[in-house]
Structure formats: C-alpha cells, structure tokens
Amino acid sequence: MTDRLRRAARRLAVSVRRVLRVARWESARASGGVDRRTLAAGVALLLVAGGVVGVGVATGVAGLDVDRDVYRVGVDAESPYADAIEAEPSLRAVPAGTSSLGDSADAVVVTVVRPGSVDDETVDAADVEDVIVRASDTRKGEAAAAAVREAVEAHNERLMRAEPNRTAAFPVTVTLRYVGRTTGFDDGATLGGSDGGSTGGSTDGSADGTGGDGSGDGGSDDESGVADGGTGDGESDGADAGGTDSGDGAAESDGSDGLLGVPSIGGAAFGADTVGSPGSITPPFPFTSLLLAFVFLVPMNFLIQAYGSSILDERTNRRGEPLLVTPLSPGEIVAGKTLPYAATAAVVTTLIAALVGGGALSVIAVAPVAAAFLGATFVGAMFARSFKELTFVTVGVSVLLTTYAFVPAIFTNVTPVALVSPLTLVVFDLQGEAVSAGEALFSTAPMAVGAALLFGLGLGVYREEDMFSQKPVTRKFLDALAVRLSPVSVGSGLLDRGLLRALGAVALLTACTIPFVFVAELLAVAVLFALPVTVSIPVLLVSIAFIEEVAKSIALYAGFERGVFGRTDGVDAGEGRGGDGGTLRVALAVGIASGTGFFVAEKVTAVVQAVGLTDLFLGRAAFADVAGLSGLPPLALAALFFAPLALHVATTSVASVGASRGRTAYAVALTLATLGHAAYNVGVVSLG
Amino acid sequence: MDSRLTIAGRELAGLRAEKTILLAIGIQLFIAAFSSFLVVGLVSMYDPGALDGAEIEVAAAGDAVDDLERAAGEVPGASVTPYDDPDAARSAFERNAADAVVVATRTESGRVSAAVTAPDSTVETTVIVVQLRELLRTYELNERDARASFLEESPLPLPDRGETSPYFAFTYTVLIPVLVFLPVFISGSLVVDSITEELDRGTMELLRVAPVTVGEIVDGKAAAAVGIAPAQALLWLLLLEANGTNVANVGPILALMTALTTLVVAVAVGIAAVAPDRRAAQLLYSVAVLVLFGGATAMAGGPANAVARLAIDSADATTGLLVVAYVGIAAAAYLGVRRVVAVEGFGR
C-alpha cells in the first residue's frame, strides 16, 4: 500500500517537473516573441488608452455622449427654454423662426407668455404661463418631445439647487428604507401584490424609522450609517443631499462602499437607507460595482489572444511534433503550456482586486471565468485551421463568455438567477455583502467543471493526426467526441463486458454535457427573462428541449460518423437486412445508455434547489423535474421521478436511430425528439 | 491591377472556404440580439413605464396624506390608499396589501418629510422604487408650486408628458453604431492575421518570388478586407430597415465606415509589418484600435456620434465635413503605410 503510494507520489513529482519545464519553456518563448520595441509601443498605447478610459470614467459614462445633438429643437433665443435645451447634450437648438417642423426641426418649443407682462427682449421664467412642444408626427418627434421634457426637468433641478430658500426649493425630504416582509419572498411575485400570504406579525417594519425622529437609528443596524438628514433639523442636510451635482447619485450611501470616491449609484443595495429630495432616490442598481466587475473581464480578452496564438503555433509547420514524440504526455504538454497564462490571469486578477477593493472572494470567483476563457480558447485553437479562423473563434469565445458572465450580474440585486454568473459574486463582494458557501459553490462550480471538460475535449485531439491536418471545425469536434467512446460493433453480444464498458463511456460522455446544458439553458432563461411570460415560456420550453436533445445525441452521432459504433453503410447488400437490425440494436443500446447517463447527471444537479432558484417561475420551467414534488402520493412521486428517465431514453433512442442513418436522418430525428420533449415539458409545467 | 485582384480574390476564397465570414456574421448577430435583449430587459426592469399595467399600491399615512393622494392622481401607475395611522399602513404592507408605505408628515420647518418603506430584495423592488420616485417628484413639484412666491427664480412650466418608446434612442445611438463598426474591427483583424500567417508559414516568400510588388500585395489584401466591411454594414442596415427602423443617409454612413475600415486596415498593415509575430501583432492591434476608437468616441463628433446623427437624420453641414475629413485621413494613412511597407518590406 505504502509502496504504491510512494510510486504514485514519485510519478506525480515527475509529472509536475515536466509540466513546470514546459511552462518555463513556454514563458521564455512567449516573452521572446514580444521584443522590447513592440512591448514599449504596446505599453505606450496602453497608457494612452488608460488615459482615455480614465477621462471617460471621470466624465461619467454619459460623458461619451453618443447621443449628442441627435434631436433638433426649434426654440427662440430669448425664450427661457433656450438655456434648458442648450444644456441637454442630445438636443440641438435651432432658431424657431426659420425652422420647419419635420424638416429642419423635430420639435418646436412654443411659450405662451402671461398677458400683461413686461414686453422687453428676454422673457422671464415667471412670465411663462404655459408651454407647448409641437413635435413632428414621427417616432423621432415623440422621442424629441420627451427629451425636451427631461431637459426642462433637469433645468428646473439646477435652478432649484442655486436657490437660497431651501425649504421652498426642496419642500419634500424623503427617507427611503428597505424592509423585508415577514411573509417572505414568494407572495410578492406579481406586481400589485396579491392579498394572500399570512398576516403575521408586523414587528419588523414598524419598530423604527417613524417619520418624526429621522432615520438615525434605522440606519445603524443597516450598516449604511445614515446619521443625520432626519427631518428635525433637515433644513440644510436634506437639501444638500439633493444639491450634490451627481443628480442621480444618492450621496449618503458612500458609507457602505466608498469605491473610487464615485457616489455609488445604489451601490449599497438592499438594507441601506437613503435620504434626500425625491429626485435623489435611486433604485437599487449596483452600477459602480458592476462596472468594476467588468474590469476583471477585460484582461482575459488580451490573454486568450496570446494563448490561442501559442497553441495554434504548435500546429503550424508541424512545430509541435518534437514535443509530441518526447515522453511527455499530451496532458503534461498542455498543462505546461497553459500554466503561464493561468498564472498571469491569477496575478492580474489579484492586482485588479487590490485596486478596486475586492477581496479574496473576487479572485476566487474570477478564477473559473479565467479557466473557461482559457479552456474555450484551447478548444478553439485546436480546431481552427488558420489565424483568421482562430480570430473569429477567439472573438466568439470572448463575446459569449463575457455575455454569460456579465449579463446575469446586472440583475444581481433583483433575482437569484443572477448567481449563475461568478461575476455576481464579485458584485456582491464589491458591495460588501456576505455570500454563503452554497451560493459561491453554485456560482463557480458549473463554470469550473465546464472549463475542465473543455480542456478534456481539446486534449482528445491533441494528437498527430488531428493537430497537423486541415479539417473543418465540425469534423474535428466530432473527432474529439469520438475519441472518448469505445467501439460497439453490430455483432457484439448483449452482456459483453466490452459492450457494457462502451455503453458506460456513452453514458459518461453524455453526463459530461450537463454543465454545458446547464449554461445554455440558463443563458436562454437570462435572454428570455426580458420577454413577457406568455412568449418566453413556450420558446423556453422548446429551446430547452432542443439543447438537451442535442447534448444527448451529439456524441452518438459522432460515434456513428467516425465508425466507433457499427453502421451498415459500407456492408454489401447481401446481409443488408440483418445488418440493419443490428444497427438498430446498437442505436437503441447507445440511445438508452445516453438517456440514462443524462438522467443521472440531471438528478445530481438537483443541488440548484439549494439556492432557491426554483422559486422563480422561469426557473421552475427550466428545472421542472426537481421542483415542487412534495405533497404527492408515493406512487405518483415515483412515477414523476422516473418519468424523465423514460422521456430521455425514448427521445434519445429516436435521435440515435436517426444518427445511425446519416446526417439528414439525424436532423429529422432530432426535430422529432425535440418536439416530443417539448410536449412533455409543456405537460409538466401545466401539471405543476 | 490584375495581380492585386488575384490576391484579393485569394483572400476572399480563403474566408469562404473556412466559412469564417459566416461565423463573423453570427457573432455580430449575437451581439446585436443580445444588446437588444439586454436593453429590453433593463428597460422593463428599470423603466416601469414600459411595463404594461405596472401599478403600485402605496399605503400612506401622516398629516400630509391628502396632497400625496392628489399627486398620485397625476402619476400613471401609482395609487395611494390613505390609512389612519402609520401602524395601520405598515400592517397593510406586511399583509402584502400594499407595495410600499409612505408616511408624509409636515415638520415645523415648513417642509414635508416622507418616510418611505419599500420591500427588500424582491424582483419588483426596483419597479416600486422607480414608481415611488415618480410619485414623490410630482408631489415635490406641487409643493414647490405652492411655495413659488418664496422662490427667487421660478421653475419653468413642464411641457405635457408624451408617449415615446424607450428603445428609440438606443436603436440609433448604440445599436446602429455598434453594427456599423463591428465589421471595421473584424476587417483590420483579418489583415493582421493574413499577413502574419503568410510570414509564419513562409508563403510570403513564395508570393515575393511572383512578379508582384510588396505594394500590390498590400493593396490586394487591403482591398479584400475593406471590401467586405461595407457589405456587412449594408446587410445590417437593410435588416433594420426590414424591421421597421428607418435609417437615413445610408450612403454617407457607408462612406464613413469604409473610410474608417481603410484607416484601421492601414494601422493593421503597419502593425503586421513591424511585429511579424501574430501574438504581438494582435495584441498591438487590439490596443491600437481601442486607443483610436476610444479616443475618437470621447471627442465631440466622434465616429459613433456621427453615424447616429446620420442614421437618425439629424446631420448638418459639419457632419458632412466630418465624413470628408475621415475619408481624407484614411486615404492619407493608407497611402503612407503602403509607401513605408513597400520600401521597408515585411518583417525586417
């Protein structure tokens, strides 16, 4: 026993040494490729870019003004509205007298002056009785009119801020606080609040924060530390809150996260109080934290460019061949080549975390994202035929992963689905909110497993015949899948050990698709989240069915295409009939194996329930099989438990039979399987 | 001329054979679809006016509740139910009979203090808070009106609230510029790849043996890359047009983006000549494009803003001048780079 352990340890040590040697060589080569001049040029450019971005951040996101002067508004120079129009970047003032509506102006401001007012050059604001905005009868005109209204609102706000009489200028002070209902999360799922739910004790909300004595004690236990701004002496405090020129930033929330000194716009999300004039109320949108979380993703895009080049470099001019013939295993080579880039990612992430004020959680959360970036790029570089193809693959990887990481994080404070993205953890971390271990695991594990599987997929084709040949991406993909399968021949016996092992491999391969299915489904949920439920649910059910059917059958198709599974195409017509039956048997066997593998893996993902994802209606549709089963008789429960198994086995068998007969048949069978699966999904949702 | 066309044709044939152009268009479609989805999502989350029938129910109490009720009458999507005392209002909130509690009290300083309680971390919190802000701002305006005589500068009367789509500005100021400029970056990246790959595989040497000059090689590669960009942009603009988005000044937009593509391609050729290793070249190219485009966008009248104004039909003489200026800069940059590369050759 100890002997074996020792031998294993020695093997591991040798392996680690080899990996480190490759890593050293790779980093030497990587730095050799970039000479001093290019490095200096790059650094200079980066500094300029940093300056530009810095200026952009300093002037605020709106400082970029993509909408500058998009609407032309006719207004007289002496009208008091001219100032308001002038101050709004998206509006351009044109003289009202000469402009014609719809042609050279999109809207015209007409002021009605109070009769009897002094008739001099400029019109005083107090003399304006009414204002009418005539807009052209187009969508642009409507938008222009709305922009004029906003411009006037902003103008008034500026006027009032300069007003010495604070009480008259800002007559209302608002103290906003968030309170959890004791009745819980579920009942408020629709707007307008159903009247269901318990009428439980209302102790939580009424204990403090009554209007009279300000919010001082309310704030103390909500970590935002709003000490003043109550109403007793609110003479100046409340007004100043509205008077900061951020306009939309709740100035008081800086106690909770003072990031970069930017007034965190709703940065302290729930549980924090805000005080100020009504205009300074902001919905809990973690804007700054989100922006900073995005900074973590930026270096990844540069890193994968270099990494992809390095991998593809091995493949051009058979440069990687010497390494392949050494005693190093492909795994060791790839690990060694990846290590410098992974290390760079770790260092850069740590640096960014230190800069923006993130903690260890941020670094841990970004790690699987970096791994996924590298893994996807590795697969792309193994499949690509040329630099150009690699560029598009890299861009595709960047776009997909950035969306996947960033978009859910936008909804950080809104819905638990946001935890799908590890970046949500970063946002939480930057906001200083606690994250449970379960949440962290739910957020990072799928991506980490997915990255590992991607490396596994790419390693499958890290061999001579695939590395140095020019095959289309799809064929290499099928190769990479088929490598993981064991042969199943038409004639093999039913309980052959080899057959069982082969079927096990099929089941395992299908089970490995689960993280990707999970990611794809959640991406679908995130995308369709925006649509009205009547549209999103059916589309979601069909797309989920399609994703799952593809995941279950693509490996089988690869097996048949690469001849790992017996197919009778090439056999002569004499035994066509018998061979056909044999193929059918093989197709059914692998179909059943794949369906079972998927079912088992899917049950394992029941972990998602832990974070309450299934509380969400859409989540319930996505993970129909694990939700809301309590309160049913055991027999029905068992039937419900095994119904998905029957479904997966049946639909996969259909797809498998199609796959055994070529591409067209596979497409048709896949469509059939998807429809069947979708019908089942509809049944489950309407049942639940 | 003939040899340039041959080289350009070879470039395009390579793209077609690898179907990478389809991948490129797919990526662009994904970006477009997702940014639209994102905006729809954000708007429905954070701009409840776009949510049909988003109506919040506010439980109100305090001595200033009448004015609050009056303000609620002017705000669509918020209704106020008065309660006798704050505790009654809060228990209504606890019972889920109300989405939020507002306790409005007059203070001795002459102000109104509104203590607002909103639910914590539920899906609709944001919607509720946005609606509450609308309600309280209206309330503030009314109160301010009542005190207008104490103000030195009276606020301007607001024009009437109109109907407008929140997606309108986004389509013209973000979506169209993004779709128009994505092909620009892709073309530049293609040129970097094309040249570094030929150098790496040693095929550039073969090409040099053929009776073509380096200038002609550059021309051929640039022609292919510049040629496909306006085609893609036109495709997007036509797609938008088919979707009911009117895009004005298609010609000037294409001229502007072709000029930018030429400029970016010139930068790409220069970088590939200086840094023949793909890793370094692509890195430098990304940074250079970032700097160029970031800098240009941050300036007034940057290319993104110019495209937005052209597309929305708010262009004026300066926009036209800007297009001409970009064409001039691009031509000068390309000719300059071509000349230097023709003299120096690739890869030192």
Side-chain angles (χ1 to χ4, degrees):
Chain A
M1 188 64 196
T2 49
D3 206 34
R4 195 181 294 171
L5 264 179
R6 198 174 301 147
R7 226 175 308 146
R10 199 177 308 138
R11 249 201 322 271
L12 187 72
V14 168
S15 183
V16 166
R17 249 201 323 274
R18 284 172 173 173
V19 168
L20 285 180
R21 196 181 310 142
V22 179
R24 218 165 28 238
W25 166 73
E26 169 69 26
S27 39
R29 231 175 40 124
S31 49
V34 186
D35 65 13
R36 273 203 201 108
R37 230 172 81 193
T38 33
L39 203 65
V43 168
L45 282 173
L46 266 179
L47 284 179
V48 178
V52 169
V53 171
V55 168
V57 169
T59 52
V61 179
L64 288 172
D65 276 348
V66 281
D67 61 348
R68 179 179 292 279
D69 292 349
V70 289
Y71 307 118
R72 298 157 303 178
V73 179
V75 60
D76 288 319
E78 55 269 19
S79 158
Y81 286 90
D83 288 342
I85 304 293
E86 210 61 64
E88 170 68 39
S90 69
L91 300 178
R92 186 155 56 89
V94 292
T98 57
S99 61
S100 66
L101 202 59
D103 189 27
S104 61
D106 307 304
V108 175
V109 179
V110 182
T111 47
V112 181
V113 179
R114 213 179 293 277
S117 63
V118 195
D119 193 23
D120 57 356
E121 284 292 289
T122 53
V123 182
D124 197 44
D127 295 335
V128 180
E129 186 169 74
D130 198 10
V131 63
I132 297 161
V133 173
R134 284 196 297 120
S136 61
D137 190 22
T138 55
R139 289 170 62 204
K140 189 185 175 190
E142 290 168 0
V148 169
R149 187 184 153 93
E150 273 170 31
V152 176
E153 279 178 350
H155 179 77
N156 282 343
E157 202 70 20
R158 278 192 300 276
L159 273 185
M160 289 305 109
R161 260 181 238 143
E163 190 64 41
N165 187 342
R166 315 300 309 171
T167 313
F170 293 99
V172 179
T173 51
V174 179
T175 313
L176 174 64
R177 56 192 316 274
Y178 297 102
V179 169
R181 283 197 183 104
T182 43
T183 44
F185 178 76
D186 246 352
D187 297 310
T190 50
L191 273 173
S194 61
D195 50 1
S198 77
T199 54
S202 60
T203 52
D204 195 19
S206 57
D208 52 5
T210 38
D213 61 351
S215 64
D217 39 356
S220 63
D221 57 3
D222 284 330
E223 53 93 24
S224 81
V226 180
D228 56 359
T231 55
D233 59 346
E235 194 65 44
S236 62
D237 290 330
D240 283 350
T244 49
D245 56 0
S246 73
D248 51 356
E252 279 77 11
S253 59
D254 59 3
S256 53
D257 58 350
L259 300 163
L260 290 180
V262 182
S264 80
I265 300 160
F270 296 107
D273 297 1
T274 42
V275 188
S277 80
S280 67
I281 297 181
T282 45
F285 186 57
F287 189 80
T288 314
S289 304
L290 206 54
L291 209 64
L292 292 175
F294 188 72
V295 174
F296 284 97
L297 294 183
V298 174
M300 304 291 167
N301 294 294
F302 293 104
L303 197 65
I304 62 169
Q305 262 180 6
Y307 180 60
S309 292
S310 165
I311 298 290
L312 191 59
D313 244 14
E314 293 288 299
R315 296 182 46 226
T316 44
N317 297 351
R318 302 182 77 87
R319 240 174 248 144
E321 202 158 28
L323 257 189
L324 268 184
V325 296
T326 59
L328 298 173
S329 71
E332 285 164 352
I333 298 173
V334 173
K337 282 186 79 70
T338 312
L339 197 59
Y341 298 95
T344 312
V347 170
V348 171
T349 306
T350 314
L351 279 180
I352 294 175
L355 275 178
V356 304
L361 181 65
S362 293
V363 180
I364 291 170
V366 175
V369 182
F373 263 97
L374 290 177
T377 309
F378 174 62
V379 172
M382 287 308 294
F383 287 177
R385 276 163 294 178
S386 68
F387 284 158
K388 274 175 269 182
E389 200 164 50
L390 178 61
T391 294
F392 288 119
V393 170
T394 319
V395 172
V397 166
S398 294
V399 169
L400 266 176
L401 281 176
T402 307
T403 345
Y404 177 73
F406 192 64
V407 170
I410 291 172
F411 302 99
T412 298
N413 292 325
V414 176
T415 145
V417 172
L419 271 177
V420 162
S421 154
L423 219 54
T424 305
L425 292 182
V426 178
V427 175
F428 275 137
D429 190 36
L430 293 177
Q431 287 182 348
E433 281 181 44
V435 176
S436 74
E439 285 172 331
L441 200 65
F442 170 78
S443 199
T444 51
M447 214 159 192
V449 173
L453 291 174
L454 280 173
F455 273 111
L457 186 73
L459 267 178
V461 283
Y462 203 91
R463 51 180 187 176
E464 211 255 333
E465 61 262 48
D466 281 301
M467 272 180 86
F468 309 125
S469 62
Q470 298 276 345
K471 290 184 196 168
V473 170
T474 43
R475 271 176 42 206
K476 278 224 179 97
F477 178 65
L478 292 185
D479 269 1
L481 287 177
V483 160
R484 306 284 169 201
L485 296 170
S486 324
V488 179
S489 60
V490 170
S492 60
L494 197 59
L495 283 175
D496 199 332
R497 179 176 288 202
L499 177 72
L500 284 182
R501 197 175 297 145
L503 292 183
V506 171
L508 185 66
L509 191 59
T510 304
C512 283
T513 62
I514 277 284
F516 301 102
V517 169
F518 188 70
V519 165
E521 289 183 352
L522 286 167
L523 208 54
V525 170
V527 167
L528 296 169
F529 191 80
L531 298 179
V533 168
T534 44
V535 183
S536 67
I537 292 284
V539 176
L540 192 67
L541 290 176
V542 172
S543 42
I544 283 173
F546 180 71
I547 291 165
E548 292 189 357
E549 287 311 317
V550 169
K552 285 184 292 179
S553 58
I554 188 72
L556 308 181
Y557 179 65
F560 283 112
E561 279 292 300
R562 289 290 166 273
V564 183
F565 302 149
R567 198 192 237 180
T568 47
D569 282 335
V571 184
D572 56 329
E575 54 170 355
R577 196 180 159 79
D580 221 27
T583 313
L584 191 65
R585 255 208 320 275
V586 171
L588 288 179
V590 293
I592 290 168
S594 176
T596 314
F598 191 85
F599 169 76
V600 171
E602 198 180 45
K603 285 299 157 207
V604 172
T605 60
V607 159
V608 295
Q609 225 179 353
V611 257
L613 197 64
T614 41
D615 277 342
L616 214 78
F617 190 48
L618 279 168
R620 199 174 295 154
F623 306 100
D625 306 341
V626 293
L629 293 182
S630 53
L632 285 171
L635 195 66
L637 206 62
L640 265 182
F641 186 78
F642 285 109
L645 176 62
L647 167 83
H648 287 315
V649 166
T651 52
T652 314
S653 301
V654 170
S656 172
V657 171
S660 69
R661 286 164 201 235
R663 199 156 135 192
T664 326
Y666 176 55
V668 172
L670 196 60
T671 316
L672 281 178
T674 302
L675 290 179
H677 195 147
Y680 169 88
N681 279 355
V682 170
V684 168
V685 167
S686 55
L687 213 78
Chain B
M1 198 63 214
D2 210 12
S3 50
R4 296 172 196 179
L5 282 184
T6 314
I7 293 173
R10 203 184 60 144
E11 291 291 310
L12 293 180
L15 282 182
R16 206 178 52 236
E18 287 169 356
K19 296 196 185 68
T20 40
I21 198 69
L22 287 181
L23 188 60
I25 291 176
I27 291 168
Q28 294 174 46
L29 190 65
F30 182 81
I31 292 175
F34 221 101
S35 53
S36 306
F37 270 130
L38 195 57
V39 164
V40 173
L42 283 178
V43 164
S44 54
M45 279 275 163
Y46 301 115
D47 183 5
L51 263 175
D52 291 331
E55 174 98 5
I56 66 159
E57 177 68 40
V58 178
D63 51 13
V65 73
D66 302 340
D67 298 331
L68 193 66
E69 262 190 286
R70 203 145 39 78
E74 299 169 31
V75 178
S79 61
V80 167
T81 313
Y83 285 82
D84 295 337
D85 60 306
D87 282 338
R90 281 199 194 87
S91 75
F93 172 73
E94 282 291 325
R95 285 199 313 271
N96 272 326
D99 295 306
V101 181
V102 177
V103 181
T105 40
R106 296 191 185 283
T107 60
E108 63 266 38
S109 66
R111 283 187 170 177
V112 175
S113 153
V116 178
T117 310
D120 185 4
S121 56
T122 66
V123 178
E124 69 271 20
T125 298
T126 310
V127 174
I128 291 172
V129 172
V130 172
Q131 293 287 67
L132 274 173
R133 178 174 60 186
E134 204 53 39
L135 171 67
L136 289 166
R137 287 191 80 155
T138 313
Y139 183 37
E140 186 185 42
L141 286 185
N142 294 347
E143 290 291 314
R144 199 182 275 163
D145 265 357
R147 291 151 214 235
S149 52
F150 299 107
L151 290 170
E152 287 187 358
E153 291 263 357
S154 52
L156 293 170
L158 288 178
D160 288 337
R161 215 185 281 265
E163 285 287 308
T164 181
S165 158
Y167 315 124
F168 182 79
F170 164 79
T171 307
Y172 285 97
T173 59
V174 178
L175 192 60
I176 289 179
V178 162
L179 287 178
V180 165
F181 289 127
L182 276 177
V184 175
F185 307 138
I186 287 175
S187 284
S189 194
L190 279 182
V191 170
V192 172
D193 281 337
S194 176
I195 293 176
T196 52
E197 180 147 42
E198 299 243 23
L199 290 171
D200 191 48
R201 288 192 193 268
T203 44
M204 190 62 96
E205 292 299 311
L206 289 178
L207 211 56
R208 294 281 288 114
V209 189
V212 286
T213 63
V214 175
E216 283 170 342
I217 296 175
V218 171
D219 282 347
K221 286 187 180 294
V226 173
I228 56 170
Q232 291 173 64
L234 185 64
L235 188 73
W236 294 124
L237 297 185
L238 289 178
L239 197 69
L240 282 171
E241 199 84 45
N243 261 332
T245 305
N246 294 321
V247 182
N249 300 316
V250 172
I253 291 177
L254 291 184
L256 175 61
M257 78 89 64
T258 311
L260 278 177
T261 314
T262 314
L263 183 63
V264 167
V265 163
V267 170
V269 170
I271 286 174
V274 174
D277 180 71
R278 182 197 183 248
R279 244 175 309 185
Q282 280 288 5
L283 197 68
L284 273 182
Y285 169 75
S286 332
V287 175
V289 162
L290 202 72
V291 171
L292 256 180
F293 203 72
T297 313
M299 286 188 298
N305 183 238
V307 165
R309 284 173 66 181
L310 284 169
I312 208 171
D313 199 14
S314 285
D316 53 10
T318 52
T319 323
L321 277 179
L322 206 64
V323 174
V324 174
Y326 277 122
V327 170
I329 294 171
Y334 178 72
L335 291 177
V337 167
R338 179 186 187 273
R339 195 190 175 102
V340 171
V341 171
V343 173
E344 299 278 325
F346 286 110
R348 277 167 287 167

